[in-house]
């Protein structure tokens, strides 16, 4: 889940909504696995320190007392939250999302298939100056570093397209039919880019919230809307709550950006 | 789950069966909660050391690498295994089952209702010499120490009946309609006692395995039966696997004992 | 360590000073044990939420990445920080300091001797309405709840004196020669009380920082002093750094309070 | 610490001796750091399962209850035990020693200097079929996989010499004056090889135990010697206990093997 907008309490975002992300870690209805109990993480930007902070843990999100304590005391204009269902790599903090590099955060729901087979080729393509910054062993973090190598900090749309394109090229070379699956969110603290794509054309779900002014008119009494403000946006894997008209689905093979001023939603295709 | 019989690899018991207890921690079909990810524990007797050992952890059972490593190298004639769904007390090793006192192990699936209200009265009734041995803060451990106070080590049937009777008395005194729910398993390393009872008469499920000789005849090729032997018994909350005729349900308000020679199954009623 | 004063970054307090509390967890020079690696905790007040938050963990303080991440993004006018050297009770989050009740925080460096023997008498003296709020199994938390029972929220000096007095009475009754040892810090979010006392008259050390205006004059260039401000006070077990004249020792059998306006330092004696 | 000989209780080895490895994790006298509290691990061979088991954890060794529980119930003829003082890579189970590949175990006390700079060159030299088996991010594990690449399973002396030689070559190419420091122990379950070498010629200490028959004669009453038997050998970083004549130091730039029949001790030099 990615939030951007007026500063909001992390506790509001994580624990308040019906079918919150914490609830999703226990009872996911749309994810690939019902329970996502292999760790969680939040990354948040604030004015108290430069760069985003990351609180990540291998405890199931629904149990972590420190998360509740900390979340209630964070006010942030931009926050990522993730619950992990591991796809084969160890359960450890360094394998939890979001991943961070400089002031960028990155989350990925999905997988690079047959990662064990293609891992060496992929990591060897990471820029040598970036390679030693890889902390963990996940496919998601490797993809992040490929995107950084291909210029994420200059042009995220192109960089992610090239990264996924490279993953597909290497995958096919190694006999993997559908190398990539998933949704991605990444931010530099001001704008948030989101991607929905899979090699097989059947991707994990991705939703973004309707503009709040619209919701204000249709649901004037809904508490969380008071806090969120006109620029407030949520990008989620599964809708938080059942509010009709509050969520719009990101189409297959699409990418978008949420930022002050105009947002953008456009088709997405890997670059080989 | 409680196993007794010929020495068996803990790995066989924990990971092998279809719908094993590890699988149940993720996808329980009969328990009160679907996921039991609030910690797990195994207790096992062996000839390598006096008294049972306990390996308990707050990691979800399906993720714990050390559990797999250790279980594969334990051979034991009597083992308890438990996955926890917490009912309000903190997630910490000292609140994981099985609990141990001297050479006794204890597990409880269920709850003492309104425990926060009745806790002081219950703990005050624990024998003063035993009280300081209480390590955690669960209702299950408190019940164990009440049973010890009422003579568990001499006569488990009576001691547990008195313990639950006391819980019901105190509960009713404090306006709790149905003070007790659950199944209990306890062992001294030779015999294993099991109980199924609830104040409301609708208790968590409990099954025991059919005599292995019977299963040998009906299913001569089933691998795990080779290991288990004639005295092999399993007591479980939910059947491990779908083998027809392999599991018999323990009735409501009943208690039994599994031991070398004759087992026993009889009605159970709290003593007030 | 207890800080109060102008809002300051928790990171400044925890990680910056020479011989910081994090460093003390590794290389304590004055504590009873050289290494205090059995867990740590911070409690902090802020305007983002009512009541203090607590981040506590059993990881050694010098290793916890989440602590660094969170501390760098907390600004607080009043914070407690503690590293634990366990005295016999389990290593678990609920046994880490600071302890919290409503808006009060509590830390204790030291021990109630022969706690296993006197535990039941002490916990039975805790007010029945408070008893079920005891989360862990430490002597320090039990003392906190005795102090609450004796009116901590109305008159901390008297309540702590009565609590320690009771501990000594019960201890002597059970043949314990020197029942109590230690220093205590407790706060309601506005004022912080500190105590230094032991039955044997040789207590753990306790220091408070010299008024900042004095230090400004003698050390005009010292960075941390810029942040701290005129009301800034630190109460510590061991001095943070070697700054001459920056630390004054609290005498044996003494208690004090730090608060806006006048502070206080006076003799302390248990009340039997 | 590496033990081989008659089957012995892991508990005897880990907790019994004066200045045991558990004690060394708290109060190391000879290591580079006083406290080694960044995780621990044991690897042990037994007849209960093929291949060695590994119990590793980021909890400080002196606190881990499960370690005590498990160790008391392991009987093993060959065991590795390690306490970690991290040299810059994350604290996680996959970065704890011993490392394992097939039936081989590996431990390393020391460091590859400037690892962040040389990491990519080193990992790129690992055999592509082995590369995806690297689980963590430590220099020690990378060195293990280099040794495997250079034929550890055929000729450990040569493989380790080539691995360290390669590390020195790459290090020098990158301006690192003294690329390698440390002692290494590795085993296939029957023999145990040990190495003591550093680029600067001042290596971490390494000791092996005197033949037990000798000790039997000089110390006929020492309990642990009863258990150990004629083939019993201990290889340690710091002596366990003060027994005069019980420990012999491995010289600088030397390597040896302990195995049934004749042991071997010879000079060691990297192969470039």
């Amino acid at each position: 889940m990615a939030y951007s907008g007026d500063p909001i309490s992390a506790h509001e975002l994580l624990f308040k909504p019906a079918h919150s992300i914490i609830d999703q870690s226990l009872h996911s209805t749309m994810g690939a696995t019902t329970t996502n109990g292999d760790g969680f993480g939040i990354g948040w930007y604030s004015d108290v320190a430069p760069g985003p902070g990351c609180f990540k843990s291998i405890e199931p999100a629904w149990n972590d007392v420190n998360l509740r304590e900390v979340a209630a005391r964070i006010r942030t204009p931009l926050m990522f939250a993730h619950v992990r269902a591991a796809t084969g790599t160890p359960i450890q903090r360094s394998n939890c999302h979001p991943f961070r590099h400089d002031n960028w955060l990155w989350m990925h729901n999905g997988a690079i298939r047959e990662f064990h087979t293609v891992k060496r080729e992929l990591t060897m393509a990471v820029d040598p100056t970036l390679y030693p910054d890889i902390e963990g062993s996940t496919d998601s973090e490797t993809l992040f570093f490929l995107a950084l190598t291909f210029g994420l900090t200059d042009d995220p749309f192109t960089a992610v397209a090239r990264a996924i394109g490279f993953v597909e090229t290497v995958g096919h070379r190694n006999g993997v039919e559908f190398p990539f699956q998933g949704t991605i969110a990444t931010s530099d603290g001001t704008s948030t880019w989101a991607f929905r794509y899979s090699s097989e054309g059947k991707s994990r779900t991705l939703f973004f919230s309707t503009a709040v002014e619209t919701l204000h008119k249709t649901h004037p009494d809904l508490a969380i809307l008071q806090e969120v403000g006109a620029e407030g946006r949520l990008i989620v894997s599964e809708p938080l709550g059942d509010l009709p008209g509050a969520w719009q689905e990101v189409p297959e093979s699409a990418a978008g950006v949420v930022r002050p001023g105009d947002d953008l939603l456009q088709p997405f295709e890997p670059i080989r």
Side-chain angles (χ1 to χ4, degrees), chain A:
Chain A
M1 179 192 77
Y3 167 81
S4 56
D6 289 343
I8 192 172
S9 155
H11 189 266
E12 290 288 323
L13 286 171
L14 292 177
F15 295 101
K16 282 294 186 69
H19 205 53
S20 71
I21 193 168
I22 299 300
D23 188 58
Q24 284 177 31
S25 63
L26 204 44
H27 308 292
S28 172
T29 51
M30 293 182 175
T33 61
T34 308
T35 297
N36 299 291
D38 301 330
F40 72 90
I42 62 174
W44 75 99
Y45 296 84
S46 71
D47 54 9
V48 188
C54 284
F55 180 107
K56 309 200 289 190
S57 170
I58 62 173
E59 304 298 335
W62 62 86
N63 271 341
D64 197 289
V65 182
N66 286 337
L67 175 66
R68 290 181 189 267
E69 294 284 323
V70 166
R73 291 163 181 85
I74 289 175
R75 291 196 70 80
T76 173
L78 204 156
M79 190 179 97
F80 276 20
H82 184 271
V83 287
R84 183 176 183 225
T87 55
T89 47
I91 309 300
Q92 54 199 23
R93 191 187 181 278
S94 58
N95 280 353
C96 294
H97 313 214
F99 299 101
R100 174 182 61 196
H101 193 265
D102 289 343
N103 63 319
W104 286 77
L105 291 178
W106 173 278
M107 302 190 299
H108 167 220
N109 271 339
I112 294 176
R113 301 223 170 77
E114 302 287 328
F115 184 56
H116 204 255
T117 306
V118 299
K119 179 175 181 177
R120 191 175 181 277
E121 281 199 64
L122 297 183
T123 51
M124 288 307 129
V126 169
D127 187 304
T129 62
L130 290 172
Y131 176 86
D133 292 344
I134 299 175
E135 270 209 350
S137 51
T138 63
D139 48 0
S140 302
E141 190 188 18
T142 300
L143 187 69
F144 179 34
F145 276 80
L146 283 173
L148 286 166
T149 300
F150 292 127
L152 180 72
T153 60
D154 295 321
D155 181 354
F157 285 127
T158 302
V160 173
R162 289 181 59 194
I164 294 178
F166 183 68
V167 165
E168 290 190 320
T169 299
V170 172
H172 292 150
R173 185 156 63 223
N174 282 274
V176 185
E177 191 182 3
F178 298 122
F180 181 80
Q181 159 64 250
T183 58
I184 292 163
T186 185
S187 179
D188 63 352
T190 306
S191 310
T192 301
W193 291 262
F195 302 79
R196 183 184 185 207
Y197 174 82
S198 60
S199 308
E200 65 267 34
K202 273 190 286 202
S203 313
R204 299 285 187 94
T205 56
L206 196 64
F207 297 83
F208 61 93
S209 59
T210 302
V212 164
E213 312 91 68
T214 311
L215 290 175
H216 271 152
K217 297 197 191 105
T218 53
H219 302 85
D221 52 293
L222 198 63
I224 194 179
L225 297 181
Q226 309 317 319
E227 285 231 42
V228 167
E231 285 293 333
R233 299 283 188 277
L234 280 158
I235 303 170
V236 292
S237 297
E238 301 180 30
L240 312 177
D242 294 323
L243 206 54
W247 303 99
Q248 299 180 39
E249 191 165 12
V250 174
E252 281 280 357
S253 303
V257 59
V258 165
R259 60 195 171 194
D262 283 349
D263 301 338
L264 211 59
L265 186 63
Q266 63 194 33
F268 174 84
E269 212 177 80
I271 296 169
R272 307 279 184 90

